[in-house]
C-alpha cells in the first residue's frame, strides 16, 4: 500500500496533500488522507519561518507516513520571491532526506499535463481535475493545498503507469 505526500513549496504558504493508493479490481485508486497548508508569518525572521517549516513538515510526515513524496520544482516568478521559495524548498528536501523518503519532482507543466492532458492548462482546470479524481464535491482550498494534491496525483499516476 502506497501513501503519497504532495508538496507545493512556499515560504508563506507551503501546500500539502496526502493520498493513499488502494488496490481495486479496476486498478489502483487514490483516496484522500489530508490536505492543507503550513503557514508562516510574513514579518517573522526568515530563519524562524524556515524552522517552522522544518518542524511542521516533520510532524506532517509522522501523521501521514508517506512512502513516496512528490514535490513541485522551482518555478521562477519574481527574483526576490524565488529566493525565498528556494530556501523553503531546501529545508523541505533536507527533511525528506533525513526521513529517507524517495522524492519525485515535477515542473508545473508536467503536473498540468498529468491531470488535464494539457501542459498549459489553467489553474481552474487543474483544480477541477483534482476534485474529479478524488471524487470531491468541491475544489480543495486554499490554492496551495489544491496544487499539492495535484502534485500527489501526478506522482500516483507515474507509479501506477
Amino acid at each position: 500500500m502506497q501513501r503519497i505526500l504532495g508538496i507545493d513549496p512556499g515560504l508563506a504558504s507551503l501546500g500539502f496533500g496526502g493520498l493513499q493508493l488502494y488496490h481495486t479490481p479496476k486498478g489502483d485508486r487514490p483516496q484522500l488522507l489530508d490536505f492543507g497548508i503550513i503557514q508562516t508569518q510574513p514579518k517573522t525572521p526568515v530563519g524562524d519561518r524556515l524552522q517552522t517549516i522544518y518542524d511542521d513538515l516533520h510532524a506532517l510526515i509522522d501523521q501521514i507516513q508517506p512512502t513516496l513524496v512528490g514535490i513541485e520544482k522551482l518555478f521562477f516568478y519574481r527574483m526576490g520571491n524565488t529566493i525565498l521559495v528556494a530556501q523553503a524548498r531546501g529545508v523541505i528536501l533536507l527533511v525528506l532526506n533525513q526521513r529517507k523518503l524517495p522524492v519525485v519532482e515535477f515542473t508545473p507543466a508536467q503536473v498540468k499535463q498529468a491531470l488535464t492532458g494539457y501542459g498549459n492548462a489553467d489553474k481552474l482546470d487543474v483544480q477541477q481535475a483534482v476534485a474529479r479524481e478524488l471524487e470531491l464535491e468541491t475544489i480543495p482550498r486554499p490554492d496551495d493545498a489544491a496544487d499539492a494534491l495535484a502534485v500527489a496525483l501526478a506522482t500516483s499516476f507515474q507509479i501506477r503507469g
Side-chain angles (χ1 to χ4, degrees), residues 108 111-113 115-133 136-144 146-147 149-150 153:
V111 173
K112 292 173 182 181
Q113 178 71 36
L115 268 77
T116 69
Y118 180 58
N120 287 324
D122 65 29
K123 189 175 271 299
L124 181 59
D125 289 337
V126 174
Q127 291 171 340
Q128 289 172 336
V130 167
R132 188 172 48 254
E133 282 292 324
L136 304 174
E137 292 183 19
T138 60
I139 292 170
R141 296 282 181 227
D143 286 352
D144 295 323
D147 292 347
L149 284 170
L153 283 166

Side-chain angles (χ1 to χ4, degrees), residues 83-100:
I83 290 170
L84 293 173
V85 174
Q87 290 173 331
R89 194 170 184 281
V91 169
I92 294 163
L93 292 173
L94 171 65
V95 169
L96 299 176
N97 186 64
Q98 287 175 332
R99 300 302 284 266
K100 308 239 183 294

Side-chain angles (χ1 to χ4, degrees), residues 44-80:
T44 305
V46 173
D48 291 343
R49 295 172 81 181
L50 295 173
Q51 184 69 52
T52 296
I53 290 170
Y54 179 90
D55 294 339
D56 288 0
L57 188 53
H58 272 293
L60 182 64
I61 290 168
D62 288 340
Q63 174 194 333
I64 293 182
Q65 299 180 342
T67 54
L68 180 63
V69 178
I71 185 170
E72 194 167 86
K73 288 183 180 178
L74 198 54
F75 180 74
F76 294 94
Y77 301 104
R78 298 179 313 276
M79 185 49 90

Side-chain angles (χ1 to χ4, degrees), residues 6-57:
I7 298 176
D8 180 35
L11 181 64
S13 179
L14 179 154
F16 68 86
L19 305 176
Q20 183 163 312
L21 293 183
Y22 283 97
H23 300 296
T24 71
K26 295 181 179 181
D28 289 349
R29 294 288 311 151
Q31 181 180 26
L32 179 64
L33 293 173
D34 195 8
F35 67 92
I37 59 171
I38 294 173
Q39 197 165 15
T40 67
Q41 298 306 311
K43 297 198 188 290
T44 305
V46 173
D48 291 343
R49 295 172 81 181
L50 295 173
Q51 184 69 52
T52 296
I53 290 170
Y54 179 90
D55 294 339
D56 288 0
L57 188 53

